[in-house]
Amino acid sequence: LEQAAIGGHPIARFYLGCVEGKSGRHERAMKHFIIAASLGEEDSMNSLNGGVNAGLVSEEDFAAALHAHQAAVDAMKSPQREAAEAFRNLM
């Protein structure tokens, strides 16, 4: 899991944040969620929102993560991906 997260896999980074959170290391979990969100991982944004509500993440850090998340999502858009997603939704 750690190797995948280090290698840039956003879902692995998200799960690493989950593991850290369950171990009580909430600040460290939030750092993993910020990185995963910056890579476009949606569940990390939800976790960061909870972190803001719990006082673990500042509004500024959340805004920066949201901006990076949106940039990553926009960078992944293509007509081929949109056609594939439309096809998948038909199934």
Side-chain angles (χ1 to χ4, degrees):
L1 186 62
E2 288 181 13
Q3 288 294 85
I6 291 168
H9 195 282
I11 296 172
R13 184 64 75 164
F14 169 72
Y15 284 132
L16 197 53
C18 292
V19 169
E20 293 289 358
K22 287 184 188 259
S23 297
R25 295 185 290 271
H26 301 290
E27 290 84 14
R28 194 166 174 166
M30 293 300 125
K31 289 180 184 180
H32 287 296
F33 293 145
I34 288 171
I35 294 168
S38 298
L39 296 171
E41 209 288 311
E42 189 67 35
D43 290 328
S44 294
M45 287 305 304
N46 296 331
S47 296
L48 286 173
N49 191 30
V52 169
N53 294 336
L56 297 170
V57 177
S58 70
E59 292 284 340
E60 295 81 21
D61 287 342
F62 181 79
L66 179 60
H67 181 73
H69 172 77
Q70 191 59 51
V73 169
D74 290 343
M76 288 187 276
K77 288 184 179 175
S78 73
Q80 293 86 359
R81 285 181 188 251
E82 290 172 6
E85 185 174 344
F87 179 75
R88 189 183 75 201
N89 289 336
L90 291 175
M91 297 294 183

Coordinates of all heavy atoms in Angstrom, one line a residue:
L1 N 0.8 -1.2 0.0 CA 0.0 0.0 0.0 C 0.9 1.3 0.0 O 0.6 2.2 -0.8 CB -0.9 0.0 1.2 CG -2.0 1.1 1.3 CD1 -2.9 1.0 0.1 CD2 -2.7 0.9 2.6
E2 N 1.9 1.3 0.9 CA 2.8 2.4 0.9 C 3.5 2.6 -0.4 O 3.7 3.8 -0.8 CB 3.7 2.3 2.1 CG 3.0 2.5 3.5 CD 4.0 2.4 4.6 OE1 5.2 2.4 4.4 OE2 3.5 2.2 5.7
Q3 N 4.0 1.5 -1.0 CA 4.7 1.6 -2.2 C 3.8 2.2 -3.3 O 4.3 3.1 -4.1 CB 5.3 0.3 -2.7 CG 6.4 -0.2 -1.8 CD 7.6 0.7 -2.0 OE1 7.8 1.7 -1.3 NE2 8.5 0.3 -2.9
A4 N 2.6 1.8 -3.4 CA 1.7 2.3 -4.4 C 1.4 3.8 -4.2 O 1.3 4.6 -5.1 CB 0.4 1.5 -4.4
A5 N 1.2 4.2 -2.9 CA 1.0 5.6 -2.6 C 2.2 6.4 -2.9 O 2.0 7.5 -3.5 CB 0.7 5.7 -1.1
I6 N 3.4 5.9 -2.6 CA 4.6 6.7 -3.0 C 4.7 6.8 -4.5 O 5.2 7.8 -5.0 CB 5.8 6.0 -2.4 CG1 5.8 6.2 -0.8 CG2 7.1 6.5 -3.0 CD1 6.8 5.3 -0.1
G7 N 4.2 5.7 -5.2 CA 4.3 5.7 -6.7 C 3.3 6.6 -7.3 O 3.2 6.7 -8.5
G8 N 2.4 7.2 -6.5 CA 1.4 8.2 -7.1 C 0.1 7.6 -7.3 O -0.7 8.3 -8.0
H9 N -0.3 6.5 -6.8 CA -1.6 5.9 -6.9 C -2.6 6.6 -6.0 O -2.4 6.4 -4.8 CB -1.6 4.4 -6.7 CG -2.7 3.7 -7.2 ND1 -3.9 3.7 -6.5 CD2 -3.0 3.0 -8.3 CE1 -4.8 3.0 -7.1 NE2 -4.3 2.5 -8.2
P10 N -3.5 7.4 -6.5 CA -4.4 8.2 -5.6 C -5.3 7.3 -4.6 O -5.5 7.7 -3.5 CB -5.3 9.0 -6.5 CG -5.1 8.4 -7.9 CD -3.8 7.6 -7.9
I11 N -5.8 6.2 -5.1 CA -6.6 5.4 -4.2 C -5.8 4.8 -3.1 O -6.3 4.7 -2.0 CB -7.4 4.3 -5.0 CG1 -8.4 5.0 -6.0 CG2 -8.2 3.4 -4.1 CD1 -9.0 4.1 -7.0
A12 N -4.6 4.4 -3.4 CA -3.7 3.8 -2.4 C -3.4 4.9 -1.3 O -3.4 4.7 -0.1 CB -2.4 3.3 -3.0
R13 N -3.2 6.2 -1.8 CA -2.9 7.3 -0.9 C -4.2 7.5 0.0 O -4.0 7.7 1.2 CB -2.6 8.5 -1.7 CG -2.2 9.7 -0.9 CD -1.0 9.5 -0.1 NE 0.2 9.6 -0.9 CZ 1.5 9.8 -0.5 NH1 1.7 9.9 0.8 NH2 2.5 9.8 -1.3
F14 N -5.4 7.4 -0.6 CA -6.6 7.6 0.2 C -6.7 6.5 1.3 O -7.0 6.8 2.4 CB -7.8 7.5 -0.7 CG -9.1 7.4 0.0 CD1 -9.6 8.5 0.7 CD2 -9.8 6.2 0.0 CE1 -10.8 8.3 1.4 CE2 -11.0 6.1 0.7 CZ -11.5 7.1 1.4
Y15 N -6.4 5.2 0.9 CA -6.5 4.1 1.9 C -5.5 4.3 2.9 O -5.7 3.9 4.1 CB -6.4 2.8 1.2 CG -7.7 2.4 0.5 CD1 -7.7 1.9 -0.8 CD2 -8.9 2.5 1.1 CE1 -8.9 1.5 -1.5 CE2 -10.1 2.1 0.5 CZ -10.1 1.6 -0.8 OH -11.2 1.3 -1.4
L16 N -4.3 4.8 2.6 CA -3.3 5.0 3.6 C -3.8 6.0 4.6 O -3.5 5.9 5.8 CB -2.0 5.4 2.9 CG -0.7 5.3 3.7 CD1 -0.5 4.0 4.3 CD2 0.5 5.7 2.8
G17 N -4.5 7.1 4.1 CA -5.1 8.0 5.0 C -6.1 7.4 5.9 O -6.2 7.7 7.1
C18 N -6.9 6.5 5.4 CA -7.9 5.8 6.2 C -7.2 5.0 7.3 O -7.6 5.0 8.5 CB -8.7 4.8 5.3 SG -9.8 5.7 4.2
V19 N -6.1 4.3 6.9 CA -5.4 3.5 7.9 C -4.8 4.4 9.0 O -4.9 4.1 10.2 CB -4.2 2.7 7.2 CG1 -3.3 2.1 8.3 CG2 -4.8 1.6 6.3
E20 N -4.2 5.5 8.6 CA -3.7 6.4 9.6 C -4.8 7.0 10.5 O -4.6 7.1 11.7 CB -3.0 7.6 8.9 CG -1.7 7.2 8.2 CD -0.5 6.8 9.0 OE1 -0.6 6.9 10.3 OE2 0.5 6.5 8.5
G21 N -5.9 7.3 9.9 CA -7.0 7.8 10.7 C -7.5 6.8 11.7 O -7.8 7.1 12.9
K22 N -7.7 5.5 11.3 CA -8.1 4.5 12.2 C -7.1 4.2 13.3 O -7.5 3.7 14.4 CB -8.4 3.2 11.5 CG -9.7 3.3 10.7 CD -10.0 2.0 10.0 CE -11.2 2.2 9.0 NZ -12.4 1.8 9.5
S23 N -5.8 4.6 13.1 CA -4.8 4.4 14.1 C -4.7 5.6 15.0 O -3.8 5.6 15.9 CB -3.4 4.2 13.4 OG -3.5 3.0 12.6
G24 N -5.5 6.6 14.8 CA -5.5 7.8 15.7 C -4.6 8.9 15.2 O -4.5 9.9 15.9
R25 N -3.9 8.7 14.1 CA -3.0 9.7 13.6 C -3.8 10.6 12.6 O -3.5 10.5 11.4 CB -1.8 9.1 13.0 CG -1.0 8.3 14.0 CD 0.3 7.7 13.5 NE 0.1 6.6 12.6 CZ 0.0 5.3 12.9 NH1 0.1 5.0 14.2 NH2 -0.2 4.4 12.0
H26 N -4.7 11.4 13.1 CA -5.6 12.2 12.2 C -4.9 13.2 11.4 O -5.3 13.4 10.2 CB -6.7 12.8 13.1 CG -7.5 11.7 13.8 ND1 -8.3 10.8 13.2 CD2 -7.5 11.4 15.2 CE1 -8.8 10.0 14.1 NE2 -8.4 10.4 15.3
E27 N -3.9 13.9 12.0 CA -3.2 15.0 11.2 C -2.5 14.3 10.0 O -2.5 14.9 8.9 CB -2.3 15.8 12.1 CG -2.9 16.7 13.1 CD -3.3 16.0 14.3 OE1 -2.8 14.8 14.6 OE2 -4.1 16.5 15.1
R28 N -1.9 13.2 10.3 CA -1.2 12.5 9.2 C -2.2 12.0 8.1 O -1.9 12.0 6.9 CB -0.4 11.3 9.8 CG 0.6 10.8 8.9 CD 1.6 9.9 9.6 NE 2.4 9.2 8.7 CZ 3.5 8.6 9.0 NH1 3.9 8.6 10.2 NH2 4.3 8.0 8.1
A29 N -3.3 11.5 8.6 CA -4.4 11.1 7.7 C -4.8 12.2 6.8 O -4.9 12.0 5.5 CB -5.6 10.5 8.4
M30 N -5.0 13.4 7.3 CA -5.4 14.5 6.5 C -4.4 14.9 5.5 O -4.7 15.3 4.4 CB -5.7 15.7 7.4 CG -6.9 15.6 8.3 SD -8.4 15.3 7.4 CE -9.0 13.8 8.2
K31 N -3.1 14.7 5.8 CA -2.0 15.0 4.8 C -2.1 14.0 3.6 O -2.0 14.4 2.5 CB -0.6 14.9 5.5 CG -0.4 16.1 6.4 CD 1.0 15.9 7.0 CE 1.3 17.0 8.0 NZ 2.6 16.9 8.6
H32 N -2.4 12.7 3.9 CA -2.6 11.8 2.9 C -3.8 12.1 2.0 O -3.8 12.0 0.8 CB -2.7 10.4 3.4 CG -1.5 9.8 4.0 ND1 -0.4 9.5 3.2 CD2 -1.1 9.4 5.2 CE1 0.6 9.0 3.9 NE2 0.2 8.9 5.1
F33 N -4.9 12.5 2.7 CA -6.1 12.9 2.0 C -5.9 14.1 1.1 O -6.4 14.2 -0.1 CB -7.3 13.2 2.9 CG -7.7 12.0 3.7 CD1 -8.2 12.1 5.0 CD2 -7.8 10.7 3.1 CE1 -8.7 11.0 5.7 CE2 -8.2 9.6 3.8 CZ -8.7 9.7 5.1
I34 N -5.1 15.1 1.5 CA -4.8 16.3 0.7 C -4.0 15.8 -0.5 O -4.3 16.3 -1.6 CB -4.0 17.3 1.5 CG1 -4.9 18.0 2.5 CG2 -3.3 18.3 0.6 CD1 -4.2 18.9 3.6
I35 N -3.0 14.9 -0.4 CA -2.3 14.5 -1.5 C -3.2 13.7 -2.5 O -3.1 13.9 -3.7 CB -1.1 13.6 -1.1 CG1 -0.1 14.5 -0.3 CG2 -0.4 12.9 -2.3 CD1 1.0 13.7 0.5
A36 N -4.0 12.8 -2.0 CA -4.9 12.0 -2.8 C -5.9 12.9 -3.5 O -6.2 12.7 -4.7 CB -5.6 11.0 -2.0
A37 N -6.4 13.9 -2.8 CA -7.4 14.8 -3.5 C -6.7 15.6 -4.6 O -7.3 15.9 -5.6 CB -7.9 15.8 -2.4
S38 N -5.4 16.0 -4.4 CA -4.7 16.7 -5.4 C -4.4 15.9 -6.6 O -4.1 16.4 -7.7 CB -3.3 17.2 -4.8 OG -3.5 18.1 -3.8
L39 N -4.5 14.5 -6.5 CA -4.4 13.6 -7.6 C -5.7 13.3 -8.2 O -5.8 12.5 -9.2 CB -3.7 12.3 -7.1 CG -2.3 12.5 -6.6 CD1 -1.8 11.2 -6.0 CD2 -1.3 12.9 -7.8
G40 N -6.8 13.9 -7.7 CA -8.1 13.7 -8.3 C -9.0 12.7 -7.7 O -10.1 12.4 -8.2
E41 N -8.6 12.2 -6.5 CA -9.4 11.2 -5.8 C -10.6 11.8 -5.0 O -10.4 12.6 -4.2 CB -8.5 10.4 -4.8 CG -8.9 9.0 -4.6 CD -10.1 8.8 -3.7 OE1 -10.1 9.5 -2.7 OE2 -11.0 8.1 -4.1
E42 N -11.8 11.4 -5.4 CA -13.0 12.1 -4.9 C -13.3 11.8 -3.4 O -13.7 12.7 -2.7 CB -14.2 11.6 -5.8 CG -15.5 12.4 -5.5 CD -15.4 13.8 -5.9 OE1 -14.8 14.1 -6.9 OE2 -16.0 14.6 -5.2
D43 N -13.1 10.6 -3.0 CA -13.4 10.3 -1.6 C -12.5 11.0 -0.6 O -12.9 11.3 0.5 CB -13.3 8.8 -1.3 CG -14.4 7.9 -2.0 OD1 -15.5 8.5 -2.1 OD2 -14.1 6.8 -2.4
S44 N -11.3 11.4 -1.1 CA -10.5 12.2 -0.2 C -11.0 13.6 0.0 O -10.9 14.1 1.1 CB -9.1 12.3 -0.9 OG -8.5 11.1 -0.9
M45 N -11.7 14.1 -1.0 CA -12.3 15.4 -0.8 C -13.4 15.3 0.3 O -13.5 16.2 1.2 CB -12.9 16.0 -2.1 CG -11.9 16.4 -3.1 SD -10.8 17.7 -2.5 CE -11.9 19.0 -1.9
N46 N -14.2 14.2 0.3 CA -15.2 14.0 1.3 C -14.6 13.9 2.7 O -15.1 14.5 3.7 CB -16.0 12.8 1.0 CG -16.8 12.9 -0.2 OD1 -17.2 14.0 -0.6 ND2 -17.0 11.8 -0.9
S47 N -13.4 13.2 2.8 CA -12.7 13.1 4.1 C -12.2 14.4 4.5 O -12.2 14.7 5.7 CB -11.6 12.0 4.0 OG -12.2 10.8 3.7
L48 N -11.7 15.2 3.6 CA -11.1 16.5 4.0 C -12.3 17.4 4.5 O -12.0 18.2 5.4 CB -10.4 17.1 2.8 CG -9.1 16.6 2.4 CD1 -8.5 17.2 1.2 CD2 -8.1 16.8 3.6
N49 N -13.4 17.3 3.9 CA -14.5 18.1 4.3 C -14.9 17.8 5.8 O -15.1 18.7 6.6 CB -15.8 17.9 3.4 CG -16.9 18.9 3.7 OD1 -16.6 20.0 4.1 ND2 -18.1 18.5 3.5
G50 N -14.8 16.5 6.1 CA -15.0 16.1 7.5 C -13.9 16.6 8.4 O -14.1 17.0 9.5
G51 N -12.7 16.6 7.8 CA -11.5 17.2 8.6 C -11.7 18.7 8.9 O -11.3 19.1 10.0
V52 N -12.3 19.4 7.9 CA -12.5 20.8 8.2 C -13.5 21.0 9.3 O -13.4 21.8 10.2 CB -13.0 21.5 6.9 CG1 -13.6 22.9 7.2 CG2 -11.9 21.6 5.8
N53 N -14.6 20.2 9.2 CA -15.7 20.2 10.3 C -15.1 19.9 11.6 O -15.6 20.4 12.6 CB -16.8 19.4 9.9 CG -17.6 19.8 8.6 OD1 -17.5 21.0 8.3 ND2 -18.2 18.9 7.9
A54 N -14.1 19.0 11.7 CA -13.6 18.5 13.0 C -12.4 19.4 13.4 O -11.9 19.2 14.5 CB -13.1 17.1 12.9
G55 N -12.1 20.4 12.6 CA -11.0 21.3 13.0 C -9.6 20.8 12.7 O -8.6 21.3 13.2
L56 N -9.5 19.7 11.9 CA -8.2 19.1 11.6 C -7.6 19.7 10.3 O -6.4 19.5 10.1 CB -8.4 17.6 11.4 CG -8.9 16.8 12.6 CD1 -9.2 15.4 12.2 CD2 -7.8 16.8 13.7
V57 N -8.4 20.3 9.5 CA -7.9 20.9 8.2 C -8.4 22.4 8.2 O -9.5 22.6 8.5 CB -8.4 20.2 7.0 CG1 -8.0 20.8 5.7 CG2 -8.0 18.7 7.1
S58 N -7.5 23.3 7.9 CA -7.8 24.7 7.8 C -8.6 24.9 6.5 O -8.6 24.2 5.5 CB -6.6 25.6 7.8 OG -5.9 25.4 6.6
E59 N -9.4 26.0 6.5 CA -10.2 26.4 5.3 C -9.2 26.6 4.1 O -9.6 26.3 3.0 CB -11.0 27.6 5.6 CG -12.1 27.4 6.6 CD -13.3 26.7 5.9 OE1 -13.4 26.6 4.7 OE2 -14.1 26.1 6.7
E60 N -8.1 27.2 4.4 CA -7.1 27.5 3.4 C -6.5 26.2 2.7 O -6.4 26.1 1.5 CB -5.9 28.4 3.9 CG -6.3 29.8 4.4 CD -6.9 29.8 5.8 OE1 -6.7 28.8 6.5 OE2 -7.7 30.7 6.1
D61 N -6.2 25.3 3.6 CA -5.7 24.0 3.1 C -6.8 23.3 2.3 O -6.5 22.6 1.2 CB -5.2 23.1 4.2 CG -3.9 23.6 4.8 OD1 -3.2 24.4 4.1 OD2 -3.6 23.1 5.9
F62 N -8.0 23.3 2.7 CA -9.1 22.7 2.0 C -9.3 23.4 0.6 O -9.5 22.7 -0.4 CB -10.4 22.8 2.8 CG -11.6 22.1 2.1 CD1 -11.7 20.7 2.1 CD2 -12.5 22.9 1.5 CE1 -12.8 20.1 1.5 CE2 -13.6 22.2 0.8 CZ -13.7 20.9 0.8
A63 N -9.3 24.7 0.6 CA -9.4 25.4 -0.6 C -8.3 25.1 -1.6 O -8.6 24.9 -2.8 CB -9.5 26.9 -0.4
A64 N -7.1 25.0 -1.1 CA -6.0 24.6 -2.0 C -6.1 23.2 -2.5 O -5.9 22.9 -3.7 CB -4.7 24.7 -1.3
A65 N -6.6 22.3 -1.7 CA -6.8 20.9 -2.1 C -7.9 20.8 -3.1 O -7.9 20.1 -4.1 CB -7.1 20.0 -0.9
L66 N -9.0 21.6 -2.9 CA -10.1 21.6 -3.8 C -9.7 22.1 -5.2 O -10.0 21.6 -6.2 CB -11.2 22.5 -3.3 CG -12.5 22.6 -4.1 CD1 -13.1 21.3 -4.4 CD2 -13.5 23.6 -3.5
H67 N -8.9 23.2 -5.2 CA -8.4 23.7 -6.5 C -7.5 22.7 -7.2 O -7.6 22.5 -8.4 CB -7.6 25.0 -6.2 CG -7.0 25.6 -7.4 ND1 -7.8 26.3 -8.3 CD2 -5.8 25.7 -7.9 CE1 -7.1 26.8 -9.3 NE2 -5.8 26.4 -9.1
A68 N -6.6 22.0 -6.5 CA -5.7 21.0 -7.1 C -6.5 19.8 -7.6 O -6.3 19.3 -8.6 CB -4.7 20.6 -6.1
H69 N -7.6 19.5 -6.8 CA -8.4 18.3 -7.2 C -9.1 18.7 -8.5 O -9.2 17.8 -9.4 CB -9.5 18.1 -6.1 CG -10.5 17.1 -6.4 ND1 -10.3 15.7 -6.4 CD2 -11.8 17.3 -6.8 CE1 -11.4 15.1 -6.8 NE2 -12.3 16.0 -7.0
Q70 N -9.7 19.8 -8.6 CA -10.4 20.2 -9.8 C -9.5 20.3 -11.0 O -9.8 19.8 -12.1 CB -11.1 21.6 -9.6 CG -12.1 21.9 -10.7 CD -13.2 20.8 -10.9 OE1 -13.8 20.5 -9.9 NE2 -13.4 20.3 -12.1
A71 N -8.3 20.7 -10.8 CA -7.3 20.8 -11.9 C -6.9 19.4 -12.4 O -6.8 19.1 -13.6 CB -6.0 21.5 -11.4
A72 N -6.8 18.4 -11.4 CA -6.5 17.0 -11.8 C -7.6 16.4 -12.5 O -7.4 15.7 -13.5 CB -6.1 16.2 -10.5
V73 N -8.9 16.6 -12.1 CA -10.0 16.1 -12.7 C -10.1 16.6 -14.1 O -10.4 15.9 -15.1 CB -11.3 16.3 -11.9 CG1 -12.6 16.0 -12.7 CG2 -11.3 15.6 -10.6
D74 N -9.9 17.9 -14.3 CA -10.0 18.6 -15.6 C -8.9 18.0 -16.5 O -9.2 17.8 -17.7 CB -9.9 20.1 -15.5 CG -11.1 20.7 -14.9 OD1 -12.2 20.1 -14.8 OD2 -11.0 21.9 -14.4
A75 N -7.8 17.7 -16.0 CA -6.7 17.2 -16.8 C -6.9 15.8 -17.3 O -6.4 15.4 -18.4 CB -5.4 17.3 -16.0
M76 N -7.8 15.1 -16.6 CA -8.1 13.7 -17.0 C -9.2 13.6 -18.0 O -9.5 12.5 -18.5 CB -8.4 12.9 -15.8 CG -7.2 12.6 -14.9 SD -7.5 11.4 -13.6 CE -8.2 12.5 -12.4
K77 N -9.9 14.7 -18.3 CA -11.0 14.7 -19.2 C -10.6 14.5 -20.6 O -9.6 15.1 -21.1 CB -11.9 15.9 -19.0 CG -12.7 16.0 -17.8 CD -13.6 17.2 -17.7 CE -14.3 17.2 -16.4 NZ -15.1 18.4 -16.2
S78 N -11.3 13.7 -21.4 CA -11.1 13.5 -22.8 C -12.3 13.0 -23.4 O -13.1 12.4 -22.7 CB -9.9 12.6 -23.1 OG -10.3 11.3 -22.8
P79 N -12.5 13.2 -24.7 CA -13.7 12.6 -25.4 C -13.8 11.1 -25.2 O -14.9 10.5 -25.1 CB -13.5 13.0 -26.8 CG -12.7 14.2 -26.8 CD -11.7 14.0 -25.6
Q80 N -12.6 10.4 -25.3 CA -12.6 9.0 -25.2 C -13.1 8.5 -23.8 O -13.8 7.6 -23.7 CB -11.2 8.4 -25.5 CG -10.8 8.6 -26.9 CD -10.1 10.0 -27.1 OE1 -10.0 10.8 -26.2 NE2 -9.7 10.2 -28.4
R81 N -12.6 9.2 -22.8 CA -13.0 8.8 -21.4 C -14.5 9.1 -21.2 O -15.2 8.3 -20.6 CB -12.2 9.6 -20.4 CG -10.8 9.2 -20.2 CD -10.1 10.0 -19.1 NE -8.7 9.7 -19.1 CZ -8.1 9.0 -18.1 NH1 -8.8 8.6 -17.1 NH2 -6.8 8.8 -18.1
E82 N -15.0 10.2 -21.7 CA -16.4 10.5 -21.6 C -17.3 9.5 -22.3 O -18.3 9.1 -21.8 CB -16.7 11.9 -22.1 CG -16.1 13.0 -21.1 CD -16.2 14.4 -21.7 OE1 -16.8 14.6 -22.7 OE2 -15.6 15.3 -21.0
A83 N -16.8 9.1 -23.5 CA -17.6 8.0 -24.3 C -17.6 6.7 -23.5 O -18.6 6.0 -23.4 CB -17.0 7.9 -25.6
A84 N -16.4 6.4 -22.9 CA -16.3 5.1 -22.1 C -17.2 5.2 -20.9 O -17.9 4.2 -20.6 CB -14.9 4.9 -21.8
E85 N -17.3 6.3 -20.2 CA -18.1 6.4 -19.1 C -19.6 6.4 -19.5 O -20.4 5.7 -18.8 CB -17.8 7.7 -18.3 CG -18.6 7.9 -17.1 CD -18.2 9.1 -16.2 OE1 -17.2 9.7 -16.5 OE2 -19.0 9.5 -15.4
A86 N -20.0 7.0 -20.6 CA -21.3 6.9 -21.0 C -21.7 5.5 -21.4 O -22.8 5.0 -21.0 CB -21.5 7.8 -22.3
F87 N -20.8 4.8 -22.0 CA -21.1 3.4 -22.3 C -21.2 2.5 -21.0 O -22.1 1.7 -20.9 CB -19.9 2.8 -23.2 CG -20.1 1.4 -23.5 CD1 -21.0 1.0 -24.5 CD2 -19.4 0.4 -22.9 CE1 -21.2 -0.3 -24.8 CE2 -19.5 -1.0 -23.2 CZ -20.4 -1.3 -24.2
R88 N -20.3 2.8 -20.1 CA -20.4 2.0 -18.8 C -21.7 2.3 -18.1 O -22.3 1.4 -17.5 CB -19.2 2.4 -17.9 CG -19.1 1.5 -16.7 CD -18.0 2.0 -15.8 NE -18.5 3.2 -15.1 CZ -17.7 4.1 -14.5 NH1 -16.4 3.9 -14.5 NH2 -18.2 5.1 -13.9
N89 N -22.2 3.5 -18.2 CA -23.5 3.9 -17.5 C -24.7 3.2 -18.2 O -25.7 3.1 -17.5 CB -23.7 5.4 -17.5 CG -22.7 6.1 -16.5 OD1 -22.2 5.4 -15.6 ND2 -22.4 7.3 -16.8
L90 N -24.5 2.8 -19.4 CA -25.6 2.1 -20.1 C -25.7 0.7 -19.6 O -26.8 0.0 -19.7 CB -25.4 2.0 -21.6 CG -25.5 3.4 -22.3 CD1 -25.1 3.2 -23.8 CD2 -26.9 3.9 -22.2
M91 N -24.7 0.1 -19.1 CA -24.7 -1.3 -18.6 C -25.4 -1.4 -17.3 O -25.6 -0.9 -16.5 CB -23.3 -1.8 -18.4 CG -22.5 -1.8 -19.6 SD -23.2 -3.0 -20.7 CE -22.2 -3.0 -22.0

